[in-house]
Amino acid sequence: MNPSNQLRLATMIRAIQESIMPAIRDDAPLAKEQVGLLMGHLAAMMQQDGQEHAVVAREWQLMSDLAAKLLDAAAGDAALAESAEATRNVLAATDASALSFAVEAMLANTEASESFKTASAKLAMTYAKAHTNLGRAWFMPMGFDGPSAGLPSVKEQLG
């Protein structure tokens, strides 16, 4: 029998609650704090189990959509010709880290036209909001953020 991730995580949480936490002395507040963080991470992992690849795919989709829209906005802008070509090449290679750097190079080009700067600022803000909301929803089980009023769940954002 190969135990599921859910069973393994539940076993870890039980071991912490029943064996480790009671063994921590009262004069060890840092140890208690770290155990609490560990419990929070394990509980979040239980809730997130199986969604990791879908979240990474959604992050790629958001970045590649931004890159494609920036390429459209950069059409005909001579100052962006080189960085646009680099972005096209990286986009085809599906390398998320390289695409992020290529998009950054386009956005940071101070020689770009005013129309590109205006369009790219709007596109970047739209991307940032969607990416931030995905991250906020992903880490909601950790309690890093305030109330989730109006924030779509990870499932809703992936759907």
Side-chain angles (χ1 to χ4, degrees), residues 44-137:
M45 289 173 71
M46 287 184 76
Q47 290 180 26
Q48 297 165 339
D49 189 35
Q51 297 179 319
E52 300 87 354
H53 295 293
V55 168
V56 169
R58 177 67 178 143
E59 288 177 329
W60 168 259
Q61 187 63 52
L62 290 170
M63 180 59 74
S64 61
D65 287 350
L66 172 61
K69 290 174 183 173
L70 288 173
L71 289 169
D72 288 344
D77 192 330
L80 292 166
E82 189 177 315
S83 61
E85 183 62 27
T87 300
R88 272 188 214 88
N89 292 337
V90 172
L91 190 55
T94 66
D95 179 341
S97 180
L99 183 59
S100 179
F101 284 117
V103 164
E104 181 181 346
M106 289 185 72
L107 293 171
N109 187 325
T110 59
E111 302 301 317
S113 66
E114 288 304 314
S115 64
F116 175 80
K117 290 177 184 178
T118 300
S120 65
K122 290 177 184 175
L123 292 168
M125 291 302 291
T126 300
Y127 162 82
K129 182 178 180 181
H131 188 263
T132 298
N133 283 342
L134 181 60
R136 286 179 62 207

